[in-house]
Amino acid sequence: MSRAAEARPRPSLLADIGGTNARFALEVAPGQLECIRVLPCAGFATLQDALRAYLALPEAAAWETPWDAAIAVANPVNGDLLRMTNHHWQFSIEAVRREFGFARFGVINDFKALALALPHLAPGNLRQVGGGQAADAGTIGLLGAGTGLGVSGLVPSKGGWEALDSEGGHVSFAPASEREIAVLRFAWREFPHVSAERLMSGSGLVLVYRALAERAGLPAQAHSPADVIALALSGECAVCAGAVDCFCEMLGTIAGNLAVTLGAIGGIYIGGGIVPRLGSAFDGSGFRTRFEQKGRFAGYLATIPTFVITAEYPCFAGVAAWLRSSAGVGSIM
């Protein structure tokens, strides 16, 4: 190791592990991130392989070996053994800590970590969609579609905020239009239980596209989620455009459900990989109208603001804050 590396402080290793990508960074000082890299989960047989590959990168190896580490993962975290829902990785938290020699190693649900990041996001990292104004110290709701559908929130407490553990993406999907009833009937042919995540995710967007293609009497093409979005935004495919529109409306219903369930007068925040890619098309979609479409509670929801998180790597701030908190020593869960 070089003298320059020896003079540097030992960083903390941070990671945000989804079903598709594994994002890594080194926090070399509070709020100061270095060596942010994104690795494809499919390129590695195990989490440990991905960790070794990241730490072997010249930019990462130039720093001291990380003293501690925290990983946000798209999965419930209960006990030492973790099996990912939307990927094949599984690992023991304590075994990983010992293998890499971390003094502390924590694993937290990715949307719980993202919720903890919300107080640290600058206004420039948010885009408001529709009206409403957040109430001071009001409960906050969070959801986001990517490989899956993540849900969490922040509840005010004496110490600041408490982030919620939630698997709300797996609630049963409820249609709110004739078009969505057709989508649900199509999905039931493939899945005995159609959760919100089955439709509000990358694979779900493709499922919605296939359902609407059948409804229109057209053959469905072998599109990826990125294909559906690109063809919708370019105006090249009416069925893809309908799928994105349907997706946004359904997300509005689910966001409204979350708002009334939590009493989220502090606002609803939208993360994940899909909505930020839609840009202004999301703002002009039926999302906000559907969000407020709750009958007698339409007026209540009209006062609640909805924000799209536009920061590139928002989860790292929450992971770092959680690791610096009094979560404990050794293997933390």
Side-chain angles (χ1 to χ4, degrees):
M1 184 180 297
S2 68
R3 291 183 178 178
E6 290 175 353
R8 291 173 171 176
R10 294 182 69 176
S12 295
L13 172 66
L14 309 177
D16 175 14
I17 311 293
T20 303
N21 292 312
R23 303 166 185 86
F24 296 97
L26 296 177
E27 187 181 45
V28 299
Q32 182 181 342
L33 302 182
E34 299 286 347
C35 193
I36 297 175
R37 295 293 183 273
V38 181
L39 304 180
C41 293
F44 303 92
T46 66
L47 167 69
Q48 294 91 317
D49 289 339
L51 277 169
R52 280 189 288 269
Y54 172 75
L55 292 172
L57 293 172
E59 301 92 332
W63 293 85
E64 285 273 9
T65 302
W67 169 256
D68 53 10
I71 289 178
V73 63
N75 217 75
V77 182
N78 298 306
D80 178 69
L81 183 62
L82 191 145
R83 296 182 176 89
M84 291 184 63
T85 303
N86 292 316
H87 193 58
H88 66 265
W89 287 353
Q90 63 178 36
F91 58 92
S92 157
I93 297 173
E94 176 60 17
V96 172
R97 186 194 70 80
R98 290 198 306 266
E99 178 178 346
F100 289 87
F102 298 132
R104 297 197 307 161
F105 177 57
V107 180
I108 183 175
N109 173 266
D110 61 338
F111 265 72
K112 183 176 183 180
L114 184 55
L116 290 170
L118 295 181
H120 304 283
L121 294 180
N125 290 326
L126 299 169
R127 185 178 78 250
Q128 185 167 352
V129 179
Q133 184 171 350
D136 291 338
T139 296
I140 291 170
L142 169 69
L143 77 165
T147 304
L149 177 64
V151 174
S152 185
L154 287 176
V155 178
S157 69
K158 291 182 180 179
W161 295 99
E162 290 291 334
L164 301 177
D165 285 299
S166 174
E167 288 300 321
H170 298 283
V171 299
S172 299
F173 172 73
S177 69
E178 291 293 333
R179 179 169 66 174
E180 292 169 19
I181 290 172
V183 169
L184 178 58
R185 285 175 173 159
F186 182 91
W188 267 335
R189 290 171 9 205
E190 299 183 16
F191 305 103
H193 174 244
V194 178
S195 65
E197 179 175 278
R198 285 292 186 195
L199 301 175
M200 298 289 93
S201 59
S203 60
L205 179 59
V206 174
L207 181 60
V208 173
Y209 158 75
R210 291 195 290 114
L212 296 185
E214 180 179 273
R215 189 172 187 240
L218 298 172
Q221 305 301 312
H223 291 325
S224 68
D227 293 335
V228 174
I229 292 172
L231 291 168
L233 297 183
S234 69
E236 296 177 56
C237 175
V239 177
C240 290
V244 168
D245 180 63
C246 186
F247 180 94
C248 293
E249 290 186 354
M250 293 189 295
L251 190 65
T253 293
I254 295 165
N257 289 346
L258 181 63
V260 295
T261 298
L262 294 183
I265 58 176
I268 293 289
Y269 290 74
I270 303 163
I274 295 178
V275 168
R277 295 175 65 179
L278 299 178
S280 60
F282 182 76
D283 301 6
S285 73
F287 166 81
R288 181 69 195 192
T289 298
R290 185 65 75 78
F291 175 79
E292 297 180 15
Q293 193 176 318
K294 283 285 189 285
R296 292 172 295 166
F297 266 67
Y300 175 84
L301 286 160
T303 68
I304 296 177
T306 48
F307 303 95
V308 175
I309 299 168
T310 58
E312 190 172 12
Y313 302 107
C315 196
F316 285 140
V319 178
W322 180 69
L323 183 59
R324 289 194 299 269
S325 73
S326 58
V329 295
S331 178
I332 53 180
M333 294 177 284

